[in-house]
Amino acid sequence: MLSFLKKLLPGSKSPVSNSSYKNGYEKPPSKSQREECEYLGLTIKPKMTSHDVWRMINDAVENPKYKALQDAYIAEKNSPFEQEDRGEYGDALVDELNKWEKICYPDQYLVTYKKGKTLRSDIVEFERAYIEDAQKPYVKIEALLPKIRKPKNDEPSIEWEKETTFRPKQILDCKKLPQEIDMFDVAKYEQILAAAKETEAKFML
């Protein structure tokens, strides 16, 4: 499956157009993105969208120097609370949280998951993970799912704006894409989803 994805996503990463920001389809960089860029020493230029910043961070952490800085940033944010959480929730739940917190940094994933009795696959951008302090605590994952926009007088685009949540047990398969989907490449997005049907079939047996 991963080799197939690499064939579908060859070459260099094409830039995201800032026109989407002007049209209101893209959000400005978030506070957490600005804080992370400051820690990593990355400059957010005027008119950059949250997706532009997401892409910039994603490119930067391919360099071991920036990856080490990002790991330190995550550890620094989590350290004041981790020991307290381990005492309250136990090691297994905190270890699961740590696993998903690392995944919730700038990447896109091809995810096969269950929602109720429905089995689905989609390209997912994970936003954050945390422990839901319910009667029986569990790791809750917030994510964005894609929505295809088809403006009347413009080319169709993919917007990751549909909010959803997961529990880890709902996620049956999760593969990092070798290259993120360009927001205007709807055809490639549909190709990847078609290929994901092979993965879905394994979980239907």
Side-chain angles (χ1 to χ4, degrees):
M1 173 63 74
L2 190 57
S3 60
F4 181 84
L5 292 176
K6 287 179 179 177
K7 289 177 183 177
L8 286 179
L9 295 166
S12 61
K13 301 179 181 181
S14 55
V16 173
S17 168
N18 278 324
S19 63
S20 58
Y21 188 19
K22 294 173 186 175
N23 292 334
Y25 293 157
E26 279 274 353
K27 297 177 288 186
S30 67
K31 180 181 177 182
S32 62
Q33 284 181 318
R34 293 182 183 279
E35 288 175 354
E36 184 173 4
C37 284
E38 183 177 355
Y39 192 98
L40 298 179
L42 301 175
T43 301
I44 298 177
K45 296 178 182 178
K47 296 186 180 179
M48 287 183 79
T49 70
S50 63
H51 195 88
D52 293 333
V53 175
W54 175 89
R55 184 189 293 269
M56 178 173 68
I57 295 172
N58 196 39
D59 288 346
V61 297
E62 291 180 4
N63 182 319
K65 169 191 168 184
Y66 287 104
K67 183 65 174 68
L69 281 171
Q70 187 188 64
D71 289 344
Y73 173 74
I74 297 170
E76 185 177 299
K77 289 193 72 174
N78 294 341
S79 61
F81 313 104
E82 184 166 324
Q83 286 307 116
E84 183 180 334
D85 285 347
R86 287 186 183 278
E88 185 173 356
Y89 301 115
D91 289 338
L93 197 59
V94 174
D95 288 345
E96 186 173 53
L97 173 65
N98 289 343
K99 169 192 169 182
W100 285 100
E101 280 185 328
K102 289 177 182 176
I103 290 175
C104 289
Y105 269 75
D107 285 306
Q108 289 176 345
Y109 291 82
L110 176 59
V111 179
T112 300
Y113 60 93
K114 269 193 170 182
K115 283 284 187 179
K117 294 183 179 180
T118 304
L119 184 67
R120 292 195 55 185
S121 293
D122 225 323
I123 309 298
V124 175
E125 290 185 0
F126 294 110
E127 291 282 280
R128 69 178 184 128
Y130 56 94
I131 294 175
E132 183 69 38
D133 196 7
Q135 186 173 2
K136 188 175 180 181
Y138 62 94
V139 172
K140 188 172 186 177
I141 306 160
E142 293 182 355
L144 296 176
L145 295 176
K147 180 177 180 180
I148 307 298
R149 289 185 177 272
K150 296 183 178 179
K152 188 174 181 180
N153 298 314
D154 204 354
E155 62 182 312
S157 64
I158 312 162
E159 306 293 339
W160 275 267
E161 59 179 28
K162 190 175 174 185
E163 297 179 354
T164 190
T165 61
F166 296 103
R167 292 192 186 200
K169 66 181 181 182
Q170 293 177 279
I171 298 173
L172 306 177
D173 193 67
C174 182
K175 292 185 177 74
K176 177 183 171 182
L177 294 187
Q179 182 184 330
E180 72 268 18
I181 304 290
D182 186 281
M183 64 184 294
F184 295 108
D185 203 341
V186 175
K188 194 160 290 181
Y189 164 76
E190 291 173 342
Q191 281 181 298
I192 289 175
L193 287 195
K197 296 298 178 185
E198 298 174 19
T199 301
E200 285 185 18
K202 292 190 297 185
F203 295 101
M204 290 178 180
L205 300 177

